[in-house]
Amino acid sequence: MAGDVAVCHLGLADTDTAAGWPVDKIAPSDLADAALHGVEAGAGEGLADQ
């Protein structure tokens, strides 16, 4: 797959940078799982949250 690009879209991940924001956030492990699932499925684009 040399030259292919995969994109994963998300709203906000629960990281140190976003720690002070009182909104729903996706867990970093869920983001990684969604991204890897998309790559394994051959998807060029994926959504990691709603």
Side-chain angles (χ1 to χ4, degrees):
M1 272 207 293
D4 290 345
V5 175
V7 177
C8 188
H9 299 275
L10 70 140
L12 192 60
D14 191 12
T15 63
D16 290 344
T17 302
W21 297 17
V23 296
D24 291 337
K25 298 171 237 174
I26 187 172
S29 59
D30 291 342
L31 174 58
D33 288 344
L36 290 174
H37 183 296
V39 169
E40 289 171 349
E45 180 180 43
L47 298 175
D49 63 5
Q50 301 190 21

